[in-house]
Structure formats: C-alpha cells, structure tokens
Amino acid sequence: MAIGFTADSFIVYFERIRDELRDGRTLRLAVQRGWLRARRTIYAAKAVNLLSAVILYFMTVGGVRGFAFTLGLTTIIDVMVVIWFTHPVMELLAKVPFFRDGHKASGLSADRLDVAPRYRGAGQFSGPQSAVSDAPVADAPDRERELVSAQSVSKAPRVAEDGRRMTIAERRAAERKAAAEAAQNEEKH
C-alpha cells in the first residue's frame, strides 16, 4: 500500500511537470511550478487518507485498527518521501542534459508530450514549429490564392513572410488586401 501511495504522489507530480512543459516552459521552471501545483493536490489527498485512518482507528477494533494505523503511518511516510526525496531528485534531474533537453527516452520530449503549438500572444506560438509551418503562407501561388474565398481566408491561420504567425491586425489587413485583389481580378474577367 505504501508503494502505491508513493507511486500515486509521483504520478501527480510528474504529470504536473508534463503539463507545464506542454505550456512551453523549460524543464527547470516546469519542475518548480509543477511542484507548487502538485504539492497542493498531494497534501489534499494525504489529508483525506490521514483523516480516514484516524476515523477508522477510533471507530473499529482488532485487525481493522491495525490497518488504520498502517494507513496513517504510510500516509505520513509518503509525505516525507515526496518532500525529502521525490522533489529534490526531480530538481537534480532538471539540470541533467538528458532530461533538460528532452531526449526521446526521457519521457519529456515534445513528441512524447504531444505538444501542439500554443498561442502566447502578439502572434507568438510555443511548441514544435512543424505544425505552425503547415499553415498557408502569404506567398502562396496565385492560382491557389484565387481558389480561396475572402471568407475562408479569415478562418485560415496565416503566417508572415518571416515565418511567425500573424497578429489579428496583420491578418485582417491581409484579408482586406486579398479581398481587394479578388475584386480587381473579378473586374478584369
């Protein structure tokens, strides 16, 4: 049971770290922020375990009382292991290049985390650039531009010439320009 409690605490902590990595943080910062978020969850779960152990201990007799004592003791030991072992080890591992750089075998690579680009503001995205580069670029062939109506242009993600995502204002300006060009092309034909 104690092994299960400790594994549960580690899983909660490790998943919080992975959530922070998915948000585009470095491993060192993800470990720190993940600890703050996981600590609250772990303490709440352990408080429930300890409360149930105390209630069981005082409301039962015999073998169940021994189980309640063991439950309370393993809960306290688990909290100590998480504070004095798991968190410090994760802080040390965050400094090791194998984990810090997100090697595929570490479980912390962008491929394993299924990181999608996330909007960070001002036309900036975090995450792998392959998903961002698949968006239609501003210098698409003229034939392809003619096939895209002004309404679908507003829904499609746009990328500026320098490879970054366009801001809303830049995208709207590009849409107005594309609509004006489409209107000129219709007049010519």
Side-chain angles (χ1 to χ4, degrees), residues 11-72:
I11 290 168
V12 167
Y13 184 29
F14 193 69
E15 285 302 315
R16 297 291 184 170
I17 291 171
R18 289 170 53 107
D19 288 343
E20 295 296 326
L21 289 171
R22 284 184 192 105
D23 286 338
R25 291 178 179 77
T26 63
L27 181 59
R28 189 176 230 167
L29 186 59
V31 167
Q32 292 171 359
R33 290 178 56 108
W35 171 245
L36 294 176
R37 292 177 60 204
R39 184 176 57 186
R40 187 174 48 230
T41 304
I42 292 169
Y43 288 165
K46 300 312 167 192
V48 169
N49 285 347
L50 200 56
L51 181 64
S52 63
V54 168
I55 290 171
L56 274 175
Y57 187 81
F58 288 111
M59 305 231 8
T60 61
V61 293
V64 178
R65 185 174 265 189
F67 169 76
F69 178 78
T70 305
L71 177 66

Side-chain angles (χ1 to χ4, degrees), residues 10-155:
F10 178 77
I11 290 168
V12 167
Y13 184 29
F14 193 69
E15 285 302 315
R16 297 291 184 170
I17 291 171
R18 289 170 53 107
D19 288 343
E20 295 296 326
L21 289 171
R22 284 184 192 105
D23 286 338
R25 291 178 179 77
T26 63
L27 181 59
R28 189 176 230 167
L29 186 59
V31 167
Q32 292 171 359
R33 290 178 56 108
W35 171 245
L36 294 176
R37 292 177 60 204
R39 184 176 57 186
R40 187 174 48 230
T41 304
I42 292 169
Y43 288 165
K46 300 312 167 192
V48 169
N49 285 347
L50 200 56
L51 181 64
S52 63
V54 168
I55 290 171
L56 274 175
Y57 187 81
F58 288 111
M59 305 231 8
T60 61
V61 293
V64 178
R65 185 174 265 189
F67 169 76
F69 178 78
T70 305
L71 177 66
L73 184 63
T74 56
T75 300
I76 292 168
I77 290 171
D78 177 44
V79 170
M80 290 188 301
V81 167
V82 167
I83 292 171
W84 292 334
F85 179 76
T86 306
H87 176 58
V89 166
M90 288 306 296
E91 284 186 334
L92 289 174
L93 290 178
K95 297 175 185 175
V96 176
F98 178 78
F99 295 101
R100 181 187 66 220
D101 298 338
H103 190 273
K104 286 190 179 212
S106 71
L108 300 172
S109 68
D111 297 338
R112 292 216 183 238
L113 293 173
D114 295 326
V115 176
R118 291 183 181 246
Y119 186 71
R120 298 176 73 185
Q124 302 296 316
F125 284 77
S126 64
Q129 294 300 319
S130 61
V132 173
S133 64
D134 291 340
V137 292
D139 58 341
D142 290 315
R143 185 172 175 205
E144 188 176 320
R145 249 190 248 161
E146 291 174 7
L147 296 175
V148 177
S149 69
Q151 291 176 346
S152 64
V153 169
S154 66
K155 295 177 184 175

